[in-house]
Amino acid sequence: MAYRNIVAGLVAAAAMAGTSTAALAVTEIAWWHAMGGELGAKLEEIVAGYNASQGDYKVVPVYKGNYAETMTAAIAAFRAGEQPHIVQVFEVGTGTMMAAKGAIYPVYQLMADAGEPFEPKDYLPAVVGYYTDTDGNMLSMPFNSSTPVLYYNKDVFAKAGLDPETPPKTWEELEQFSAKIMDSGAAKCGFTTGWISWVQLENFSAWHNQPIGTLENGFGGLKTELTVNGPAQVKHWTNLKKWQDAGVFQYGGPVGGNDAPPKFYAQECAMYMNSSASRAGVVANAKDFQVGMGMLPYYADVDGAPQNSIIGGATLWVLQGKADAEYKGVANFFSYLSSAEVQAAWHQATGYLPITQAAYDLSKSQGFYEKNPGADVSIEQITFKAPTANSKGLRFGSYVQIRTIIDEEFEQLLSGAKTAQQALDDLVKRGNVLIREFEKANEG
Amino acid sequence: MQTKRTVFPNRVLPYALLLPQLAVTAVFFFWPAGQAVWQSFLREDAFGFRTTFVGLENYARLLADPTYLNALSVTAVFATSTAALSLLLALVLAVAVDRLVKTAGVYTTLLLWPYAVAPAVAGILWWFLFNPTIGLLPYLMDMVGYRWNHSLNKTDAMILVILAASWKQVSYNFLFFLAGLQSIPASLREAAAIDGAGPVKRFFTITLPLLSPTSFFLLVVNIVYAMFDTFPIIDATTEGGPAQSTNVLVYKVYVDGFVGLNLGSSAAQSVVLMAVVIALTVIQFRFVERRVAY
C-alpha cells in the first residue's frame, strides 16, 4: 500500500511540476559567481531585486567556489556543453577568456544585438581599459572592480606620536613611521600586506609607471614578455626583504595572504595594504581601534610616480551556445546591474569601486563619503592620472599560474635563497615560458 | 601434490562472476587512464577549440622543467617519511595496546578516531595548530626559542605535511598491526620466554617476522596513500608552498591542470605518476615480498 501511495504521489508531483513551469514561462538565466559570505549575500539581494522588478526572466546565481574554481568550472562546463549564461571571471583570467573567441559572446555585441543601451564611456577609464580589446570593444561586463589601498591604525599612530590623520605618502615615510611605531612600542611591526603579486608587484609597477610586460603589458598581443625585473621593482623587493629581516614588514602568506588581516586586526602591525573591497571586513574587525585609509606609498625618486593604480576583482563574461531569447534576458539584466542605484549600493556595501561615473556621483550626493571617510581613496587613486601604457592593466596568458610563480619567487627572496634581482629575473624567465606555451596553444 | 589451479566445471559462470569487476575496472580505470595517455600527446587551449598533436613534447618539457624535477624529489622525501613515520608509530602503539587486556578497547577506539576525520578537515586542523600567526604550537615553540614559520621555512613546511599526513594514516596502520599481533599465538612467545629470551629479543625474532605479511601489505598501501591520497592535506595546509617545497606530484597535477588549465602537461604528469606507482608496486612485490613469510 505504502509503495502505491508513494508512486501516486510522485506522479502527482511530476504532473504539478510540469504544469507550474509551463504556467510561469519565465526564462531562466544561470550566473556562476565566486562571491562567498557577506559579498554573496549582497549579490543575491541584487539578483532578487532584479527578479522582482520584471516577470520575463529569472536570474539564478550559483556560488561556485573561489575565482579559480569558478573559472575552471565554467570552462569544464563549456567543454561539456553545460555552460551557464554568465560567469564571473577574475581579472587575471582575462587573457584566457579573450583568447577563447568562439566561447565568449562579447558584451558590446550582446548589448547591441539585444538593443540595450550601452556606453563604455560611462565607466571609469581604469575599468574600461582593462577589458577592452585593441579595437576598442568592451568584451566583458564590469561588476566588482577593486584596487589596493593602505589601511592604518589611527590609535597606534597617536600612541607613537604620529598624526593619526596623516598616512605615509612615500615608502621612505612608511619606513620612518614604522621605526617610530616600533621604537615607541605602539605596535610590534610596521606593516603587512595581502596579495604580494597584485599589490607589491603589479600595482607597484603601475603606480610607479613601470612596465609589467612588453606590448603594452600584453594588451598588444600574445607575443608579450614580462619586464617586472626593472630597477624600481628590484629596489622595492630588496627593501621588503630588508624590512622583513628588521621586523618592519611581516609576510602574510601566498595568494591572498590569509595571515595578513589577523596581524592588522590584532594590532600587531600598524599598517596593512589590501584591496579596497576589504574595507567592510577591516572596519568590522577593527573593534578596539580607529581605521584610517590612504593611498599606496611610492618612491619619491622614481620618475612619474605616483601614476595610477590598477584594478583587481572580476567581470562578467557571457558564454556562447544559448538561445537568443535568453541572451536578451542577459542584456536586460546587465542594464539593471550597471544602473547607478545598483552599483552605488554594491560599492557602498562592499568597498568595491563604483564602476560608473554615475554610481560615484550618486554615492557622493548621498553623502556616503562624508559618513565613511576614506571610502573614496580607492577611486582617487585609480583615477589619479590618465592611464599610460604601463598603468592601464595587464593581460597575459596563463596569468593564474604566473601569479603562483610570483609568490614562489617572493618566498625564495624572503627565505634568503635568492636576492631580489635573482628572484625577479627567475620570475620573468619562468613566466615567459608559460606565456610562450599559451601563445602556441592559442595561435591556431 | 596439490595444485594452486582450481578447475571449474562450468565454463561460463567464472567469467560471468568476474565480469562486474572487469567492467568496473574498465570504466573507472582503463578508460580514464587511456584518455590521460591520449591527452598527454596533445596541446590544447583551455576551451578545447584548438587541439594539436605534439607527440612526446609534453613529456620532454616536463623532464626539462626544474619545478617538475623538484616535485619528484619532494614526493620521494614526503612519501618515504610519511610511510616510515606512520608505520613506526602505529607499530609502537599497536604493541603497547596489545599488552593491555582490559582497556584495549578504549585505546583502540581512541586511536582509530583520526581515521574517521576527512583529510581536508585534518589538514585544516594541523594548519590551525601550526599557523605562524594564530596557531598554538608556534607560540609555544617561540617560548623555547624556535621560530616556527612554515609559510617561509621549507623544512618546517615539510615537517608539517608529513606530520599531518602520518597522523591520518596511523589509525589505519594501527588497526592492521593490532589484528596481526593478536593473531600471533601467545604460546610461541611464552615458549621463547621459557627458553630465556628477553622481551626485546622476543619482539625482533618472533613477533616482527610473524607480522611481516601485515607490514608488507601496509607498506604498499602507505606508499600509495602518500602519493595519491594526501592531496587534500597538502591543499589545506601549505598549498604546495613555500616556493614549491611541498609540491608533491599529485598536487602539481591538480595545480597545472585545474588551476593553470594546462591540460596536456597535466595529463603527461598523471601518466608519469601512474607509471611511478606501478613501478613501485612491482618492485615491492618482486623484491620485498620475497622476505615475507606467510
Side-chain angles (χ1 to χ4, degrees):
Chain A
M1 270 318 267
Y3 168 72
R4 276 189 185 202
N5 284 339
I6 290 167
V7 170
L10 282 176
V11 169
M16 272 169 61
T19 49
S20 63
T21 42
L24 282 171
V26 288
T27 310
E28 289 208 353
I29 291 158
W31 176 14
W32 288 7
H33 67 86
M35 304 272 92
E38 293 288 308
L39 296 176
K42 185 71 197 166
L43 182 148
E44 303 221 338
E45 200 181 296
I46 290 175
V47 170
Y50 174 72
N51 289 338
S53 74
Q54 43 75 51
D56 296 334
Y57 309 105
K58 184 171 176 238
V59 175
V60 184
V62 183
Y63 174 65
K64 277 282 166 183
N66 66 31
Y67 280 136
E69 286 161 357
T70 305
M71 179 168 162
T72 7
I75 291 174
F78 185 85
R79 294 178 71 125
E82 302 280 335
Q83 70 273 30
H85 300 78
I86 309 170
V87 59
Q88 184 184 23
V89 175
F90 56 165
E91 88 284 16
V92 289
T94 306
T96 302
M97 297 303 288
M98 288 187 76
K101 292 220 165 58
I104 57 160
Y105 193 164
V107 157
Y108 77 95
Q109 209 176 321
L110 169 88
M111 299 305 261
D113 291 351
E116 290 281 341
F118 182 66
E119 189 50 74
K121 278 204 272 319
D122 295 346
Y123 295 81
L124 297 183
V127 179
V128 183
Y130 210 108
Y131 300 103
T132 302
D133 67 11
T134 33
D135 303 327
N137 296 315
M138 208 141 128
L139 300 178
S140 62
M141 189 70 191
F143 174 57
N144 57 321
S145 296
S146 57
T147 197
V149 292
L150 174 83
Y151 299 94
Y152 66 98
N153 185 325
K154 286 189 179 178
D155 294 24
V156 165
F157 268 48
K159 249 183 257 167
L162 296 162
D163 176 10
E165 298 310 320
T166 315
K169 275 205 165 53
T170 61
W171 283 103
E172 291 83 357
E173 273 182 9
L174 183 131
E175 192 176 10
Q176 292 160 12
F177 286 19
S178 296
K180 255 192 170 167
I181 287 163
M182 291 167 70
D183 290 345
S184 67
K188 271 207 298 193
C189 117
F191 73 101
T192 184
T193 174
W195 293 107
I196 291 294
S197 48
W198 184 51
V199 183
Q200 306 299 345
L201 193 62
E202 296 152 23
N203 265 289
F204 175 85
S205 302
W207 193 225
H208 290 79
N209 200 14
Q210 304 292 315
I212 299 164
T214 57
L215 296 178
E216 301 191 25
N217 291 345
F219 279 65
L222 294 171
K223 298 198 186 313
T224 171
E225 281 180 11
L226 296 173
T227 56
V228 284
N229 52 350
Q233 290 98 337
V234 169
K235 174 183 175 177
H236 184 50
W237 277 36
T238 307
N239 279 338
L240 285 171
K241 164 69 175 158
K242 184 186 86 187
W243 290 328
Q244 114 118 6
D245 290 345
V248 171
F249 161 62
Q250 282 189 15
Y251 180 52
V255 199
N258 283 334
D259 292 343
K263 290 181 200 287
F264 182 68
Y265 301 159
Q267 308 206 50
E268 199 176 330
C269 294
M271 290 169 273
Y272 164 54
M273 284 163 234
N274 209 341
S275 165
S276 60
S278 313
R279 193 179 61 86
V282 168
V283 172
N285 280 286
K287 292 204 176 67
D288 312 318
F289 62 95
Q290 293 285 314
V291 180
M293 286 171 77
M295 292 193 192
L296 292 176
Y298 59 92
Y299 288 101
D301 58 352
V302 175
D303 267 355
Q307 168 57 40
N308 66 283
S309 62
I310 53 176
I311 58 169
T315 49
L316 307 182
W317 292 80
V318 183
L319 295 174
Q320 292 279 14
K322 301 282 183 183
D324 282 352
E326 294 167 31
Y327 285 124
K328 265 198 149 37
V330 174
N332 189 259
F333 175 59
F334 279 177
S335 290
Y336 168 85
L337 203 58
S338 52
S339 68
E341 290 75 26
V342 171
Q343 267 306 317
W346 173 249
H347 157 62
Q348 293 174 16
T350 62
Y352 280 111
L353 294 166
I355 51 167
T356 59
Q357 191 64 40
Y360 182 29
D361 293 341
L362 182 63
S363 297
K364 264 194 254 178
S365 67
Q366 287 171 341
F368 174 70
Y369 303 114
E370 278 120 60
K371 275 178 265 160
N372 299 276
D376 49 354
V377 161
S378 53
I379 309 143
E380 280 173 33
Q381 182 182 278
I382 206 158
T383 55
F384 198 73
K385 287 182 193 163
T388 68
N390 296 329
S391 72
K392 66 177 173 184
L394 55 92
R395 187 172 303 151
F396 306 103
S398 296
Y399 202 70
V400 184
Q401 279 167 297
I402 295 174
R403 276 261 173 100
T404 312
I405 295 178
I406 296 176
D407 283 333
E408 285 172 10
E409 294 299 335
F410 191 71
E411 283 167 347
Q412 300 275 24
L413 167 81
L414 290 191
S415 68
K418 289 181 186 175
T419 65
Q421 185 76 56
Q422 285 168 340
L424 287 163
D425 286 349
D426 290 351
L427 190 174
V428 166
K429 217 182 300 164
R430 292 174 63 192
N432 285 342
V433 171
L434 289 178
I435 293 175
R436 289 291 76 77
E437 216 166 303
F438 183 85
E439 185 188 337
K440 276 191 203 157
N442 285 282
E443 260 175 350
Chain B
M1 204 178 77
Q2 206 180 10
T3 61
K4 276 188 174 175
R5 207 181 184 108
T6 317
V7 180
F8 293 95
N10 188 322
R11 278 166 179 260
V12 185
L13 186 67
Y15 294 102
L17 290 175
L18 259 181
L19 200 64
Q21 178 59 44
L22 286 177
V24 166
T25 312
V27 170
F28 290 101
F29 179 70
F30 287 114
W31 188 22
Q35 276 197 324
V37 172
W38 172 239
Q39 190 147 44
S40 72
F41 297 132
L42 306 176
R43 179 170 53 223
E44 251 185 320
D45 71 302
F47 283 86
F49 287 120
R50 285 165 291 261
T51 306
T52 329
F53 185 83
V54 292
L56 292 172
E57 200 185 310
N58 285 326
Y59 292 94
R61 203 183 286 273
L62 270 193
L63 294 179
D65 179 1
T67 64
Y68 189 69
L69 304 178
N70 168 67
L72 276 175
S73 65
V74 165
T75 310
V77 173
F78 173 72
T80 339
S81 313
T82 303
L85 183 64
S86 56
L87 282 173
L88 208 67
L89 214 59
L91 184 61
V92 170
L93 290 169
V95 170
V97 169
D98 188 42
R99 287 161 168 265
L100 304 166
V101 185
K102 279 186 190 157
T103 43
V106 178
Y107 283 109
T108 310
T109 311
L110 289 177
L111 285 169
L112 271 182
W113 269 359
Y115 197 64
V117 176
V121 176
I124 292 285
L125 205 113
W126 286 88
W127 177 85
F128 252 116
L129 273 176
F130 278 97
N131 186 293
T133 308
I134 55 173
L136 179 66
L137 291 176
Y139 180 74
L140 295 177
M141 279 188 272
D142 203 24
M143 289 206 249
V144 295
Y146 186 77
R147 193 95 188 91
W148 173 276
N149 191 347
H150 68 257
S151 59
L152 279 181
N153 186 318
K154 296 179 179 184
T155 318
D156 286 356
M158 184 53 103
I159 292 172
L160 172 65
V161 289
I162 290 172
L163 279 179
S166 307
W167 179 75
K168 270 291 297 162
Q169 193 62 8
V170 161
S171 307
Y172 182 86
N173 297 347
F174 164 79
L175 196 65
F176 277 84
F177 274 135
L178 187 64
L181 284 170
Q182 293 191 333
S183 69
I184 296 173
S187 57
L188 285 177
R189 275 180 284 187
E190 282 160 7
I194 292 167
D195 288 345
V200 176
K201 186 157 180 120
R202 282 193 311 248
F203 178 77
F204 282 104
T205 53
I206 296 174
T207 314
L208 206 55
L210 285 172
L211 266 184
S212 63
T214 315
S215 313
F216 173 67
F217 165 76
L218 286 178
L219 181 69
V220 177
V221 167
N222 275 268
I223 296 276
V224 173
Y225 161 77
M227 294 197 71
F228 283 103
D229 292 351
T230 45
F231 162 79
I233 287 175
I234 304 258
D235 192 43
T237 48
T238 63
E239 295 187 345
Q244 303 243 352
S245 58
T246 55
N247 199 357
V248 295
L249 291 170
V250 65
Y251 194 69
K252 194 168 160 51
V253 170
Y254 160 76
V255 171
D256 290 357
F258 285 84
V259 183
L261 297 168
N262 191 341
L263 301 177
S265 171
S266 184
Q269 290 179 36
S270 317
V271 173
V272 174
L273 184 59
M274 188 161 67
V276 168
V277 173
I278 290 174
L280 273 179
T281 314
V282 169
I283 290 169
Q284 286 171 342
F285 273 89
R286 267 282 168 92
F287 300 104
V288 184
E289 202 193 15
R290 285 195 188 161
R291 298 164 165 270
V292 173
Y294 287 100

